[in-house]
Amino acid sequence: MYLFELPSDSLYQYEFTGKFKAPAPTWKHLEAPLKDYELIVMTEGTLYLAFQQDYFTVETGDFLLLPPGGLRIGTKPSDCSFYWLHFTTEGDPSLKEIPDALLPAYIASSTQKISIPRHGTIPNQDKIVVMMKQLQDAVKSNYPPPTLNAMTTSILMELFGQYYSRTRMINNTKATHRQIYYDIVDYVKLNASKNLKVADIACHFGYNQKYLSHLFASITGIPLKQFILSTKVDAANFMLTDTNKSISQIASELGFLDNHNFSRAYKNVTGLTPSEYRNTFAKRMLFDK
C-alpha cells in the first residue's frame, strides 16, 4: 500500500472545498492539472480517475488523497457523489510503499509525521463527512482563514487518527479476536436499521452475551452497547446534514421505536436534539467539478 507522510506539527492551509453530485450518469471527471493536495470522500457511486499513470476506482465509503503536480483525468463515466477538499502544506509530498503485513506497525509508530494511505476505505466515513460539512458551513459563514486552516487540519488529523487507532488495535489483537471484531462491526453497520441489541449479536454469532461484550470492550475500549448507539448516531449525523429526510424518517431507518426515543438517545450522546444539529449545519456547497 502507498502512504503519504505529511507533517504533524503545522496547520494545513485551506484552499477550497465543496460537495459534487454528477449532473448525469454519463458525467466523466474533467482533465485538469492539480496544483495542491486534494482529498476526495466518496458518498455515492463510483469515481474512475487516472493520476500520474495510476488508475483509481473510488467506491462508496472510500477516500482518495492526491498530491500536487500531476494531471487528473476521468477514465470512465461516473454517476457519483463526493465531498472534496483542496489544501496545501509545507514541504514536498512524500509517498512510501509499505507492504500490507507491515502497515499496522508502521502507521502505529508514526510520531513526527502522519501517515495516510493514498487510497482506502474510511473506518468511520460518516464522521469525516460531517466534519467536511462543518468546514463548508464555516466557509459559507465567512469564517477567517486561520479557522478554516484549523478545520482543514482537523479533518486530516481525524482521518489519520482513525487509521492510527484501528491499526494499533489490529497490531495488539490476536488474529481470532481480530476477526470477531471485524465481523461484529460489519454486522452492526449492516443492521443499523434494526432495533439491535447485544443479545441479538451474541445469538447471531453463537457466543455468550457476557463473553462477547467483554471481548469487544477489551479490543476497542468501549462497551458493545455503546458502539451500537455510536454507530447509529454517526449514521444520523450523516443523514441530518447530507439528506433532506425528516426526523421521523431517520428515526425509523435507524431502528428507533419513535421520534421521542431517537431524540432522547441522540441528545444523550451529542448534547443536541436532531433538529438543533441539523439547523447548525444547514448550509450546503454544491459544485459541478
Side-chain angles (χ1 to χ4, degrees):
M1 177 180 285
Y2 285 97
L3 292 174
F4 279 109
E5 291 197 328
L6 302 169
S8 62
D9 56 356
S10 62
L11 287 178
Y12 297 89
Q13 306 298 307
Y14 165 81
E15 296 297 330
F16 44 98
T17 187
K19 180 190 175 183
F20 174 81
K21 184 171 179 60
T26 56
W27 174 84
K28 189 164 68 172
H29 204 297
L30 296 176
E31 180 178 325
L34 197 56
K35 297 180 181 179
D36 39 39
Y37 284 93
E38 180 179 31
L39 174 65
I40 294 173
V41 176
M42 186 65 51
T43 56
E44 187 178 353
T46 304
L47 178 65
Y48 301 96
L49 277 182
F51 184 79
Q52 295 179 335
Q53 299 182 330
D54 289 323
Y55 290 81
F56 300 98
T57 300
V58 193
E59 300 178 332
T60 302
D62 284 359
F63 74 94
L64 179 65
L65 181 60
L66 299 175
L71 192 64
R72 183 188 48 195
I73 306 170
T75 58
K76 292 182 184 179
S78 302
D79 188 11
C80 63
S81 179
F82 56 87
Y83 282 85
W84 51 273
L85 169 63
H86 285 243
F87 65 94
T88 57
T89 186
E90 297 176 356
D92 296 325
S94 173
L95 187 63
K96 288 190 174 183
E97 185 174 13
I98 307 296
D100 288 349
L102 301 179
L103 189 63
Y106 188 87
I107 292 181
S109 67
S110 298
T111 53
Q112 300 303 314
K113 293 180 179 291
I114 65 170
S115 300
I116 299 177
R118 177 172 59 172
H119 176 210
T121 300
I122 304 176
N124 185 349
Q125 188 207 49
D126 290 347
K127 191 169 184 179
I128 297 291
V129 166
V130 168
M131 293 178 73
M132 294 188 79
K133 186 70 175 60
Q134 291 169 348
L135 172 61
Q136 291 181 17
D137 181 84
V139 173
K140 292 284 284 185
S141 299
N142 296 313
Y143 280 31
T147 302
L148 304 182
N149 293 343
M151 295 179 78
T152 297
T153 302
S154 293
I155 290 170
L156 272 296
M157 291 300 177
E158 172 65 28
L159 184 58
F160 167 63
Q162 288 188 21
Y163 269 92
Y164 179 88
S165 175
R166 188 180 72 169
T167 51
R168 278 203 70 173
M169 180 195 69
I170 291 171
N171 211 29
N172 297 328
T173 304
K174 294 179 181 179
T176 52
H177 291 173
R178 203 180 308 157
Q179 188 57 53
I180 294 171
Y181 163 79
Y182 281 134
D183 290 343
I184 292 173
V185 169
D186 288 343
Y187 185 80
V188 170
K189 289 184 176 181
L190 286 171
N191 292 277
S193 61
K194 299 177 181 177
N195 185 18
L196 200 58
K197 307 291 186 186
V198 174
D200 300 327
I201 300 173
C203 181
H204 177 81
F205 290 107
Y207 286 97
N208 174 275
Q209 180 179 335
K210 188 175 180 180
Y211 168 78
L212 194 66
S213 297
H214 175 75
L215 175 62
F216 190 86
S218 70
I219 296 172
T220 63
I222 64 170
L224 180 52
K225 183 178 180 180
Q226 183 181 332
F227 175 75
I228 295 170
L229 180 57
S230 175
T231 300
K232 288 177 180 285
V233 168
D234 285 340
N237 288 343
F238 174 81
M239 287 189 272
L240 288 166
T241 60
D242 208 61
T243 76
N244 294 318
K245 293 177 180 178
S246 67
I247 304 298
S248 297
Q249 241 182 313
I250 294 172
S252 176
E253 289 186 19
L254 291 175
F256 288 92
L257 298 177
D258 52 43
N259 281 6
H260 176 71
N261 282 319
F262 170 54
S263 296
R264 184 176 59 186
Y266 186 89
K267 188 168 185 177
N268 285 340
V269 174
T270 67
L272 298 171
T273 67
S275 295
E276 288 171 341
Y277 187 90
R278 168 169 272 170
N279 292 336
T280 301
F281 304 108
K283 298 177 182 177
R284 291 179 180 238
M285 298 174 68
L286 293 171
F287 297 91
D288 285 348
K289 193 177 175 199

